[in-house]
Coordinates of all heavy atoms in Angstrom, one line a residue:
T146 N -24.2 67.7 -25.4 CA -24.4 68.9 -26.2 C -24.1 68.8 -27.7 O -24.5 69.6 -28.5 CB -23.5 70.0 -25.6 OG1 -22.1 69.5 -25.6 CG2 -23.9 70.4 -24.2
N147 N -23.4 67.7 -28.0 CA -23.1 67.4 -29.4 C -24.2 66.7 -30.2 O -24.1 66.5 -31.4 CB -21.8 66.6 -29.5 CG -20.6 67.2 -28.9 OD1 -20.5 68.5 -29.0 ND2 -19.8 66.5 -28.3
I148 N -25.2 66.2 -29.5 CA -26.1 65.3 -30.1 C -27.0 66.0 -31.1 O -27.7 66.9 -30.8 CB -27.0 64.6 -29.1 CG1 -26.2 63.7 -28.1 CG2 -28.1 63.7 -29.7 CD1 -25.4 62.6 -28.7
E149 N -27.0 65.5 -32.4 CA -27.7 66.0 -33.5 C -28.8 65.0 -34.0 O -29.6 65.4 -34.8 CB -26.8 66.5 -34.6 CG -25.9 67.6 -34.3 CD -26.6 68.9 -33.9 OE1 -27.7 69.1 -34.4 OE2 -26.0 69.7 -33.2
L150 N -28.6 63.8 -33.6 CA -29.4 62.7 -34.2 C -29.8 61.7 -33.1 O -29.0 61.3 -32.3 CB -28.6 62.0 -35.3 CG -29.2 60.6 -35.8 CD1 -30.5 60.8 -36.5 CD2 -28.1 59.9 -36.7
L151 N -31.1 61.4 -33.1 CA -31.6 60.3 -32.2 C -32.2 59.2 -33.1 O -33.1 59.4 -33.9 CB -32.7 60.9 -31.3 CG -33.4 59.9 -30.4 CD1 -32.5 59.1 -29.5 CD2 -34.5 60.6 -29.6
V152 N -31.6 58.0 -33.0 CA -32.0 56.9 -33.7 C -32.9 56.0 -32.8 O -32.5 55.7 -31.6 CB -30.8 56.0 -34.1 CG1 -31.3 54.7 -34.8 CG2 -29.9 56.8 -35.1
L153 N -34.1 55.7 -33.3 CA -35.1 55.0 -32.5 C -35.4 53.6 -33.1 O -35.7 53.5 -34.3 CB -36.4 55.8 -32.4 CG -36.3 57.2 -31.7 CD1 -37.6 57.9 -31.9 CD2 -36.0 57.0 -30.2
D154 N -35.4 52.6 -32.2 CA -36.0 51.3 -32.5 C -37.5 51.5 -32.4 O -38.0 52.5 -31.8 CB -35.4 50.3 -31.5 CG -36.1 49.0 -31.5 OD1 -36.4 48.5 -32.7 OD2 -36.3 48.4 -30.5
V155 N -38.2 50.6 -32.9 CA -39.7 50.7 -32.8 C -40.3 49.8 -31.7 O -40.8 50.3 -30.7 CB -40.4 50.3 -34.2 CG1 -41.9 50.3 -34.0 CG2 -40.0 51.3 -35.3
D156 N -40.2 48.5 -31.9 CA -40.9 47.6 -30.9 C -40.2 47.6 -29.6 O -39.0 47.3 -29.5 CB -40.9 46.2 -31.5 CG -41.8 46.1 -32.8 OD1 -43.0 46.4 -32.7 OD2 -41.2 45.9 -33.9
G157 N -40.9 48.0 -28.5 CA -40.3 48.0 -27.2 C -39.7 49.4 -26.9 O -39.2 49.6 -25.8
V158 N -39.7 50.3 -27.9 CA -39.2 51.7 -27.6 C -40.3 52.7 -27.9 O -40.8 53.4 -27.1 CB -37.9 52.0 -28.5 CG1 -37.5 53.4 -28.4 CG2 -36.8 51.1 -28.0
L159 N -40.7 52.7 -29.2 CA -41.9 53.5 -29.6 C -43.2 52.8 -29.2 O -44.3 53.4 -29.3 CB -41.8 53.8 -31.1 CG -40.9 55.0 -31.5 CD1 -40.6 55.0 -33.0 CD2 -41.5 56.3 -31.0
T160 N -43.1 51.5 -29.0 CA -44.3 50.7 -28.5 C -43.9 49.9 -27.3 O -42.7 49.9 -26.9 CB -44.8 49.7 -29.6 OG1 -43.9 48.6 -29.6 CG2 -44.8 50.3 -31.0
D161 N -44.9 49.3 -26.7 CA -44.6 48.4 -25.5 C -44.0 47.1 -25.9 O -43.8 46.2 -25.1 CB -45.8 48.3 -24.6 CG -47.0 47.5 -25.3 OD1 -46.8 47.0 -26.4 OD2 -48.0 47.4 -24.7
G162 N -43.8 46.9 -27.2 CA -43.3 45.7 -27.7 C -44.3 44.7 -28.2 O -44.0 43.7 -28.8
R163 N -45.6 44.9 -27.9 CA -46.6 44.0 -28.3 C -47.0 44.2 -29.8 O -47.0 45.4 -30.3 CB -47.9 44.2 -27.5 CG -47.8 43.5 -26.2 CD -49.1 43.6 -25.5 NE -49.0 44.5 -24.4 CZ -49.8 44.6 -23.4 NH1 -50.9 43.8 -23.3 NH2 -49.6 45.5 -22.4
I164 N -47.2 43.2 -30.5 CA -47.7 43.2 -31.9 C -49.0 42.6 -32.0 O -49.2 41.5 -31.5 CB -46.6 42.5 -32.8 CG1 -45.3 43.3 -32.8 CG2 -47.2 42.4 -34.2 CD1 -44.2 42.4 -33.3
I165 N -50.0 43.3 -32.5 CA -51.3 42.7 -32.7 C -51.5 42.3 -34.2 O -51.3 43.2 -35.0 CB -52.4 43.7 -32.3 CG1 -52.2 44.2 -30.8 CG2 -53.8 43.1 -32.4 CD1 -52.9 45.4 -30.4
L166 N -51.8 41.1 -34.4 CA -52.0 40.6 -35.8 C -53.4 40.3 -36.0 O -54.1 39.6 -35.2 CB -51.1 39.3 -36.0 CG -49.6 39.5 -36.0 CD1 -49.0 38.1 -36.2 CD2 -49.2 40.4 -37.2
D167 N -54.0 40.8 -37.1 CA -55.4 40.4 -37.4 C -55.4 39.1 -38.3 O -54.3 38.6 -38.6 CB -56.2 41.5 -38.0 CG -55.8 41.8 -39.5 OD1 -55.0 41.0 -40.1 OD2 -56.2 42.8 -40.0
S168 N -56.5 38.6 -38.6 CA -56.6 37.3 -39.3 C -56.0 37.3 -40.7 O -55.6 36.3 -41.2 CB -58.0 36.7 -39.3 OG -58.8 37.7 -40.0
D169 N -55.8 38.5 -41.2 CA -55.2 38.6 -42.5 C -53.7 38.9 -42.4 O -53.0 39.2 -43.4 CB -55.8 39.8 -43.3 CG -57.3 39.5 -43.6 OD1 -57.6 38.4 -44.0 OD2 -58.1 40.5 -43.5
G170 N -53.2 38.9 -41.1 CA -51.8 39.1 -40.9 C -51.3 40.5 -40.9 O -50.2 40.8 -40.8
R171 N -52.3 41.4 -40.9 CA -52.0 42.8 -40.8 C -51.6 43.2 -39.4 O -52.2 42.7 -38.4 CB -53.2 43.7 -41.2 CG -53.3 43.9 -42.7 CD -54.4 44.9 -43.0 NE -55.7 44.4 -42.6 CZ -56.7 44.0 -43.4 NH1 -56.6 44.1 -44.7 NH2 -57.8 43.5 -42.8
E172 N -50.6 44.0 -39.3 CA -50.0 44.3 -38.0 C -50.6 45.6 -37.4 O -50.7 46.6 -38.1 CB -48.5 44.4 -38.1 CG -47.7 44.1 -36.9 CD -46.2 43.9 -37.2 OE1 -45.9 42.9 -37.9 OE2 -45.4 44.7 -36.8
M173 N -50.8 45.6 -36.1 CA -51.2 46.8 -35.4 C -50.3 47.1 -34.3 O -49.8 46.1 -33.6 CB -52.7 46.7 -34.9 CG -53.7 46.9 -36.0 SD -55.4 46.6 -35.4 CE -55.5 44.9 -35.8
K174 N -50.0 48.4 -34.1 CA -49.1 48.8 -32.9 C -49.8 50.0 -32.3 O -50.5 50.7 -32.9 CB -47.7 49.2 -33.4 CG -46.9 48.1 -34.1 CD -45.6 48.6 -34.6 CE -44.9 47.7 -35.5 NZ -44.4 46.5 -35.0
Q175 N -49.5 50.1 -31.0 CA -49.9 51.3 -30.3 C -48.8 52.3 -30.1 O -47.7 51.9 -29.5 CB -50.5 50.9 -28.9 CG -51.9 50.3 -29.0 CD -52.4 50.1 -27.6 OE1 -51.7 49.6 -26.7 NE2 -53.7 50.4 -27.4
F176 N -49.0 53.5 -30.5 CA -48.0 54.6 -30.3 C -48.4 55.5 -29.2 O -49.6 55.6 -28.9 CB -47.7 55.3 -31.6 CG -47.1 54.4 -32.6 CD1 -47.8 53.8 -33.7 CD2 -45.7 54.1 -32.6 CE1 -47.3 53.0 -34.6 CE2 -45.1 53.3 -33.6 CZ -45.9 52.7 -34.6

Side-chain angles (χ1 to χ4, degrees):
T146 56
N147 300 324
I148 299 299
E149 296 296 336
L150 165 66
L151 174 59
V152 174
L153 298 171
D154 171 39
V155 174
D156 298 295
V158 172
L159 279 165
T160 76
D161 65 4
R163 277 186 257 200
I164 292 161
I165 304 163
L166 292 174
D167 72 10
S168 55
D169 297 318
R171 276 186 300 247
E172 206 168 292
M173 280 175 269
K174 297 180 195 291
Q175 284 187 314
F176 296 99

